[in-house]
Amino acid sequence: MADKVLMKGNEAIAEAAIRAGCRHYFGYPITPQTEIAAYMAKRMPKIGGTFLQAESEIAAINMVYGAASAGKRAMTSSSSPGISLKGEGISYMAGSDLPGLIVNVQRGGPGLGGIQPSQSDYFQSTRGGGHGDYHLIVLAPASVQEMADMTVKAFDLADKYRMPVMLLADGTMGQMMEPVSLDLSIAEAPEKPWATTGTKLARPHNIVNSLSLVPEELEKLNNARYEKYEIVKQNEVMYEEYMMDDAEICVVAFGIAARVSKNAVVAARKNGVKVGLIRPITLWPFPADVIAKAADKAKRFISVELSMGQMIEDVRLAVNGKAPVELCYRVGGMIPTPEQVLEAIENGGAKS
Amino acid sequence: MEFKRVTLLAGHYGSGKTNIAVNLAMLLRQKRERVAIADLDIVNPYFRTKDSQYDLEQAGIRFICSEYANSNVDIPALPQTLYAITDDRELSCILDVGGDDRGALALGRLAPGLLEENDFEMLFVVNFYRPLTSTADDALEVLREIEIAGHLPFTGIVNNSNLGDETTPDVVLRTADRTQELCGKCGLPLRLTTVNRPLVPALRDKIPNLIGLDLQAKIR
């Protein structure tokens, strides 16, 4: 415990990114993630890094594109409306096979919405978010410690698969303070022979580009990218199972909703209800196999979300009709209480 | 604890200012009839004194805050009732200042009046388990930045070092050296050490000027 510090989730992301070797942060302020930028503004100049407040979110994501092209670990962060603005740049990064970290500390929407927590960017994150056929790896931390751990993991995965990774948090996760160990396991960033670092007249030009005007070529690129996605699906699924061994009711929830749900599961167990929790840590790739396996035993599923019901579609696909899947939710910046989730577990059908 | 007419709490964001401000206002109300607490935080709309407004007003404490506080409207506007702090010298006040130098900017409007009257105490709240104030030197840097931005000098230190739920008496005691070092470097007295109330019995005999805090929980 001696090595722990007390951090906000947003700060934990920033510090972990620095420790993971990120020296290039580009952003534009928006509540509830501004502490990431504030922390970077303070720290980056002291360690020879770059903090740049761009003129817009669109500029910031394109700066990430540039730094990533040069082989550097780079990141940006924003909250829901700002992520929509970054959509084009994210798609370009995916189309150019560039690694990079995009943090979304979600707030209630749509539109400008509010500043309180939300999980309603699930579709946007897990389906790509911008135009074209692509995926992001989407990580969903559920504690301040995981905010730090998943940030390091995000950079590793981005470099390993040459694709953008999104850390999908929410206003609560960003603002809450918890003790954190910064004793993170940091792997060396791999060599990037594809990066545009200057040929020194010793090799052919490296080209980083998403433009491909010959349809046969573009089709090949898309197919190759989806072969890579299959490998990601095979190797990188992460989830937590809690009290699932004998569970007849299975709650599925991620992030802050999973913390609330865990309390409800504990309370229901005290009442003798056989209920467990599956917490997806990667939202893409989604832990469909473990949910499908749970559906062999569980009689009922409940998706707990801070949205009108988005992840529930992936849960239903995984359950594949073997059991009913219900929704328990709050939106607009509201958070379900453990009592609300308990009610859904014990009596079913409880919604907002 | 003896109070000046105005007690200001400033420091790094997330150091615990708001929670201490609410607790000190409750203490002050036991000693004085007319007490106000002012939320001057124009930086972070997420955690606010206003979350405790009901409890404070039940205790007969006047509440001064931006009308935008907790409306989720992100407007750095100060309340007009702020002037009561300097104009009404029969009113005893606790001021919850926003985090860092940016938060202290709001003090500029009050500084001339407070300096002229000279009946204030400006306390620097520090949690040495916060990563950007983990050493005496780092804390001193934040302290100086706040003084420059707020146009007011600090008069004392509050050690609020904690690790949230994982705070033990030892966690608090381990920051004694750094607190001493900070006090030495800035020439200010250690005015208070604040801990979560359940920790008070274990620390009472080991730390002078110890105050137990009730945690204000934000549940919505």
Side-chain angles (χ1 to χ4, degrees):
Chain A
M1 197 167 68
D3 62 333
K4 281 195 176 175
V5 289
L6 189 67
M7 296 185 101
K8 281 194 171 206
N10 286 335
E11 297 170 329
I13 289 172
E15 181 60 36
I18 288 169
R19 287 174 187 238
C22 174
R23 292 293 179 275
H24 302 275
Y25 173 91
F26 310 99
Y28 188 84
I30 180 171
T31 304
Q33 63 79 50
T34 302
E35 290 86 359
I36 300 176
Y39 196 97
M40 289 301 197
K42 205 141 198 159
R43 288 274 281 125
M44 280 300 195
K46 291 182 180 170
I47 54 174
T50 302
F51 163 82
L52 201 151
Q53 180 171 323
E55 68 270 33
S56 70
E57 286 87 347
I58 299 168
I61 188 68
N62 282 291
M63 290 171 187
V64 173
Y65 182 108
S69 301
K72 299 296 183 187
R73 284 192 159 175
M75 69 177 287
T76 187
S77 62
S78 192
S79 180
S80 308
I83 295 294
S84 292
L85 284 168
K86 291 180 195 293
E88 179 194 60
I90 297 170
S91 168
Y92 276 49
M93 285 181 72
S96 304
D97 299 307
L98 284 173
L101 171 61
I102 301 123
V103 178
N104 182 1
V105 183
Q106 297 168 94
R107 55 189 255 177
L112 206 45
I115 63 169
Q116 297 294 339
S118 165
Q119 296 180 326
S120 53
D121 302 345
Y122 180 92
F123 283 153
Q124 184 192 45
S125 316
T126 57
R127 270 63 179 168
H131 58 281
D133 281 311
Y134 74 92
H135 280 292
L136 307 172
I137 295 175
V138 184
L139 305 175
S143 67
V144 176
Q145 183 67 55
E146 274 193 1
M147 293 283 252
D149 297 343
M150 289 299 128
T151 298
V152 174
K153 182 88 182 167
F155 279 111
D156 287 344
L157 290 172
D159 280 343
K160 184 175 176 186
Y161 294 103
R162 279 183 68 182
M163 60 189 287
V165 176
M166 177 169 281
L167 193 76
L168 190 69
D170 66 77
T172 322
M173 298 303 312
Q175 294 293 325
M176 68 193 280
M177 288 173 88
E178 284 181 332
V180 179
S181 165
L182 291 170
D183 190 13
L184 307 166
S185 86
I186 312 276
E188 191 92 351
E191 291 290 313
K192 296 177 182 175
W194 50 266
T196 55
T197 51
T199 65
K200 299 180 182 67
L201 301 177
R203 61 161 168 80
H205 290 287
N206 283 340
I207 295 170
V208 173
N209 183 26
S210 69
L211 181 68
S212 180
L213 291 172
V214 180
E216 290 85 352
E217 291 298 318
L218 187 52
E219 183 179 53
K220 261 189 217 160
L221 286 171
N222 273 284
N223 282 329
R225 203 166 288 126
Y226 270 68
E227 281 166 26
K228 175 171 79 181
Y229 292 160
E230 280 307 312
I231 298 170
V232 177
K233 281 190 195 173
Q234 295 294 320
N235 296 335
E236 306 300 345
V237 172
M238 288 189 286
Y239 57 89
E240 179 195 352
E241 281 185 292
Y242 183 68
M243 295 192 173
M244 279 300 297
D245 285 348
D246 61 343
E248 291 169 1
I249 302 169
C250 175
V251 177
V252 185
F254 67 94
I256 186 66
R259 288 173 72 120
V260 174
S261 298
K262 205 175 236 184
N263 286 333
V265 166
V266 170
R269 282 276 173 179
K270 279 189 190 142
N271 297 345
V273 182
K274 287 185 176 172
V275 57
L277 170 73
I278 294 176
R279 174 172 78 90
I281 300 173
T282 50
L283 300 181
W284 195 93
F286 191 71
D289 289 348
V290 69
I291 289 172
K293 199 168 120 256
D296 290 337
K297 283 194 286 182
K299 297 187 182 79
R300 192 155 66 86
F301 284 74
I302 306 166
S303 185
V304 182
E305 304 180 49
L306 276 65
S307 77
M308 294 301 292
Q310 299 191 14
M311 181 181 69
I312 191 170
E313 295 197 1
D314 284 334
V315 178
R316 283 199 175 118
L317 280 170
V319 169
N320 202 17
K322 283 187 252 179
V325 184
E326 295 163 4
L327 179 65
C328 175
Y329 72 103
R330 294 296 297 271
V331 292
M334 302 303 291
I335 304 172
T337 59
E339 293 74 27
Q340 183 191 345
V341 179
L342 180 63
E343 171 70 17
I345 291 169
E346 295 193 333
N347 299 319
K351 290 184 178 175
S352 178
Chain B
M1 168 175 179
E2 291 303 311
F3 286 94
K4 299 276 191 185
R5 190 180 72 77
V6 177
T7 304
L8 302 98
L9 295 156
H12 182 40
Y13 74 85
S15 56
K17 297 176 295 297
T18 298
N19 196 37
I20 295 170
V22 171
N23 278 270
L24 288 189
M26 295 289 194
L27 271 180
L28 184 58
R29 181 64 185 82
Q30 292 169 15
K31 294 168 184 275
R32 309 226 179 127
E33 194 54 36
R34 294 185 62 225
V35 173
I37 185 168
D39 180 350
L40 300 190
D41 192 344
I42 53 168
V43 178
N44 188 335
Y46 250 77
F47 296 100
R48 309 206 68 129
T49 321
K50 197 173 163 79
D51 295 328
S52 301
Q53 181 170 7
Y54 177 80
D55 291 342
L56 289 162
E57 286 179 348
Q58 284 292 305
I61 296 166
R62 183 174 165 192
F63 191 73
I64 299 173
C65 80
S66 161
E67 56 188 294
Y68 296 104
N70 271 32
S71 69
N72 290 337
V73 181
D74 245 335
I75 294 177
L78 290 166
Q80 61 271 43
T81 46
L82 191 71
Y83 295 104
I85 296 165
T86 43
D87 293 356
D88 182 355
R89 294 195 175 176
E90 303 299 313
L91 186 67
S92 297
C93 302
I94 303 287
L95 267 58
D96 180 18
V97 182
D100 289 344
D101 48 344
R102 288 177 295 278
L105 275 178
L107 287 179
R109 190 65 195 83
L110 295 171
L114 292 173
L115 285 166
E116 188 252 322
E117 182 196 11
N118 196 23
D119 192 8
F120 72 93
E121 187 167 31
M122 172 128 145
L123 300 175
F124 180 73
V125 180
V126 62
N127 177 354
F128 284 110
Y129 292 98
R130 297 279 293 138
L132 294 185
T133 56
S134 63
T135 66
D137 282 331
D138 286 348
L140 185 64
E141 187 181 324
V142 175
L143 184 151
R144 294 293 180 225
E145 287 169 355
I146 291 172
E147 284 183 327
I148 291 166
H151 298 281
L152 275 178
F154 279 105
T155 60
I157 305 293
V158 176
N159 181 16
N160 185 48
S161 293
N162 72 86
L163 271 176
D165 291 347
E166 295 181 22
T167 311
T168 61
D170 187 52
V171 162
V172 180
L173 290 170
R174 262 190 280 129
T175 60
D177 289 351
R178 273 173 284 178
T179 311
Q180 282 298 317
E181 191 189 343
L182 175 62
C183 289
K185 283 186 165 165
C186 62
L188 297 174
L190 173 60
R191 190 69 174 74
L192 293 173
T193 299
T194 45
V195 295
N196 213 352
R197 194 176 296 283
L199 291 170
V200 169
L203 291 168
R204 190 177 286 130
D205 300 332
K206 296 175 179 155
I207 298 175
N209 300 324
L210 183 74
I211 285 189
L213 303 176
D214 296 311
L215 209 62
Q216 60 152 343
K218 184 190 181 189
I219 302 200
R220 39 176 298 141

